[in-house]
Amino acid sequence: MHEMTLDDLLGAVISWLPLVMVLLSLAAAALIFPLPEHRGRLRATVNLTAAVLKVLLIVALVPPVVADGARPEVSMPFLPGIDLVLRADPLALFFAGLSAVLWLLTTVYAIGYLKDSPHRSRFFGFFSLCVTATVGISFSGNLITFLVFYELLTVATYPLVAHRGTPQALHAARLYLRYTLSGGLAVLIGVVWLTMYAGPADFAEGGAESVTELAAASPGTATLIFVLLVGGLGVKAALFPLHGWLPQAMVAPAPVSALLHAVAVVKAGVFGIVRVVDDVYGIEVTAALGVLTPLLLVASFTILYGSYQALRQTDLKRRLAYSTVSQVSYVTLGITMMEMTATAGGVVHLVHQGIMKITLFFCAGLFAEVLGVHRIEDTRGLGRRMPLTSAAFTVGAFGMIGLPPTAGFISKWQLGEGALASPHPWVLGVLVLSSLLNAAYFLPIVLRLWAPEPVQAEGRDRGRVHEPAPLVVPAMITAGFTLLVGLAASVPFAPLRVAEYIAEGVFR
């Protein structure tokens, strides 16, 4: 009889960690929903304990998965011949790590932001359900599993967008639901169609073998399925012209905006596109089908269109929303250039954009909550009144422009270098023009923040105001991350290093 060694035991424990993380978030939601409103301390304890445990479990998985090449996996029967599969590979850890760290900070922020608001148990219950869905999306090992959690994310996010219950919030939530359910329907048809021809399509480096065979035997069918999958995912990824829900959703509370733009929803869409291109079809098959270049063109146009629209906005959150439309497409841009450095640049921007954009939304929420400032023209002189918030915003804005030594500089450097080495060197022009537009719509805000205050109304106190610690500390931490991942891009296990490792697997 085989005796279980310590290594066997550790391997068995590690293989269950993806499922444990999904259940951890689900258990938090189940505990939070029935809590009375006045049990704020218990609600915060459950939230923060689950968030901290997830971060620790992700950290525990990094060495075996990235350094040792392990692929912890657990599967369970779902449909005849089809299993739900949760697997930890480097890309899964990359997305799960981003969501776990930013979710912990967003939870701290949300507890402070909603301190005296009604319906907090409902809010944080759905918040935890969103975490459940995002962790499930991260660790999905095949398209069917991905679809299940992708749709759960749609349903769980709707009540958060509608949370305030105003006519504007309800309208935005209904619009969000119409867009995302339509996109989800396209993904569903694509997944069912692909499963009929190629089986459950496990995610694999270089693409699923059964999908390669389908593309060789029936390229037209494979192309149509690809269009359905990427078109459906493009709704949450906010690709033009499927982005319309995102600016409207800005009526949601600031933590939800952070959730939509940096942690979960748009990231789930673009993460799905990366999976379909790299791990379902494979980069070689995708290129052979002739669908990479059209997707590259759509991403390029979305980048410029989003920047142009951001430039036209006078409301701070709407400007940030259109900035997201632009910046998230850098990921799609990178993976469609058919070049390893560009792919690493696109993948690393999954993390970099999240860190920078969540900083900006944390700050926008602080300006709105502390001083009631929503419009860009009213931000003049806030650097003196809210110096910590303004400093964090400045770092986030510089990152979005791509100034060194921020995370954004690393992303754009990789993408630019990859563009020159790729069959599409013209993409460098898109990156330069986009960066100029980024500067055109972010620098005026930064200059206003640090400009002298307008003439004071007589007797009105315009001195420094209190910046609530639960709100400003997360913003300062993510601003620090924006600098840290830029300065330490070359150290082992830095996001860029992990992204390069993932890109090598795509072209292996």
Side-chain angles (χ1 to χ4, degrees):
M1 183 177 173
H2 174 68
E3 289 189 17
M4 180 173 279
T5 65
L6 182 59
D7 286 344
D8 292 337
L9 181 60
L10 283 174
V13 170
I14 286 174
S15 69
W16 284 93
L17 290 187
L19 179 61
V20 168
M21 278 187 269
V22 172
L23 295 178
L24 190 61
S25 306
L26 190 61
L31 288 172
I32 289 170
F33 271 122
L35 284 179
E37 281 300 300
H38 68 275
R39 300 300 300 272
R41 182 167 296 182
L42 178 57
R43 189 167 47 241
T45 302
V46 172
N47 261 315
L48 293 174
T49 301
V52 169
L53 284 174
K54 274 198 296 291
V55 172
L56 295 176
L57 291 173
I58 294 287
V59 171
L61 276 173
V62 170
V65 171
V66 178
D68 302 337
R71 298 292 181 267
E73 174 181 319
V74 61
S75 62
M76 59 209 83
F78 180 56
L79 295 170
I82 299 174
D83 288 345
L84 290 180
V85 179
L86 295 172
R87 182 187 305 123
D89 63 18
L91 183 58
L93 273 189
F94 207 57
F95 187 35
L98 168 74
S99 65
V101 172
L102 295 189
W103 220 295
L104 172 59
L105 295 170
T106 306
T107 300
V108 174
Y109 185 93
I111 289 170
Y113 189 91
L114 298 169
K115 188 177 178 183
D116 299 316
S117 300
H119 309 306
R120 281 166 292 169
S121 290
R122 184 185 71 190
F123 180 91
F124 283 107
F126 282 112
F127 209 67
S128 293
L129 276 184
C130 285
V131 184
T132 307
T134 306
V135 174
I137 287 170
S138 304
F139 289 115
S140 293
N142 59 27
L143 266 179
I144 292 288
T145 312
F146 178 89
L147 178 68
V148 169
F149 288 106
Y150 192 77
E151 295 304 335
L152 174 61
L153 180 63
T154 298
V155 175
T157 309
Y158 169 80
L160 297 177
V161 178
H163 178 72
R164 284 180 167 148
T166 62
Q168 195 181 8
L170 294 174
H171 170 73
R174 284 194 291 269
L175 186 68
Y176 165 77
L177 204 57
R178 279 201 295 272
Y179 267 83
T180 52
L181 285 181
S182 300
L185 180 62
V187 176
L188 172 65
I189 294 171
V191 170
V192 171
W193 198 357
L194 187 64
T195 304
M196 287 171 57
Y197 282 95
D202 269 18
F203 297 149
E205 286 184 349
E209 191 174 332
S210 57
V211 177
T212 303
E213 293 169 359
L214 171 65
S218 182
T221 300
T223 301
L224 285 175
I225 294 172
F226 181 91
V227 171
L228 278 170
L229 291 173
V230 172
L233 293 165
V235 173
K236 280 199 173 93
L239 283 173
F240 180 89
L242 309 170
H243 64 284
W245 62 273
L246 193 55
Q248 299 297 323
M250 287 304 90
V251 297
V256 178
S257 299
L259 167 84
L260 294 172
H261 289 256
V263 187
V265 179
V266 296
K267 286 298 166 59
V270 79
F271 177 78
I273 292 174
V274 175
R275 280 296 196 196
V276 170
V277 171
D278 290 341
D279 296 335
V280 175
Y281 278 73
I283 196 74
E284 298 287 347
V285 170
T286 312
L289 291 174
V291 291
L292 267 188
T293 301
L295 188 54
L296 174 66
L297 291 172
V298 171
S300 299
F301 182 80
T302 304
I303 287 170
L304 298 178
Y305 171 81
S307 292
Y308 169 70
Q309 290 296 339
L311 193 59
R312 299 177 61 222
Q313 306 305 313
T314 55
D315 180 272
L316 182 55
K317 285 181 72 176
R318 284 184 67 86
R319 180 167 292 192
L320 295 181
Y322 276 108
S323 167
T324 298
V325 172
S326 171
Q327 291 271 341
V328 166
S329 284
Y330 284 14
V331 180
T332 306
L333 188 85
I335 65 165
T336 50
M337 276 194 266
M338 194 70 188
E339 203 282 330
M340 193 184 302
T341 304
T343 299
V347 171
V348 81
H349 202 58
L350 268 172
V351 168
H352 288 174
Q353 187 272 347
I355 294 168
M356 297 184 295
K357 185 48 66 72
I358 205 166
T359 303
L360 295 170
F361 271 109
F362 281 165
C363 295
L366 270 155
F367 291 142
E369 283 302 298
V370 175
L371 291 173
V373 170
H374 298 273
R375 295 176 62 81
I376 293 167
E377 64 182 5
D378 297 329
T379 58
R380 187 180 180 88
L382 292 188
R384 178 173 169 272
R385 306 191 72 193
M386 300 178 66
L388 298 179
T389 307
S390 299
F393 188 96
T394 301
V395 171
F398 283 179
M400 285 295 177
I401 296 168
L403 296 178
T406 63
F409 171 74
I410 301 298
S411 293
K412 292 188 178 182
W413 180 272
Q414 288 287 122
L415 290 168
E417 191 178 348
L420 289 177
S422 78
H424 310 285
W426 56 267
V427 171
L428 184 63
V430 174
L431 292 167
V432 171
L433 182 54
S434 169
S435 294
L436 291 174
L437 289 168
N438 296 158
Y441 65 76
F442 272 124
L443 284 183
I445 304 174
V446 173
L447 292 174
R448 278 179 177 276
L449 287 175
W450 300 106
E453 287 183 276
V455 177
Q456 298 180 16
E458 189 174 352
R460 186 176 174 188
D461 180 12
R462 296 186 64 85
R464 181 172 178 177
V465 296
H466 172 65
E467 298 168 270
L471 276 63
V472 78
V473 169
M476 295 296 292
I477 291 174
T478 52
F481 284 161
T482 300
L483 293 172
L484 182 64
V485 298
L487 289 167
S490 60
V491 304
F493 301 120
L496 178 61
R497 289 301 185 206
V498 178
E500 288 173 339
Y501 179 75
I502 293 168
E504 287 171 10
V506 171
F507 289 90
R508 193 168 293 151

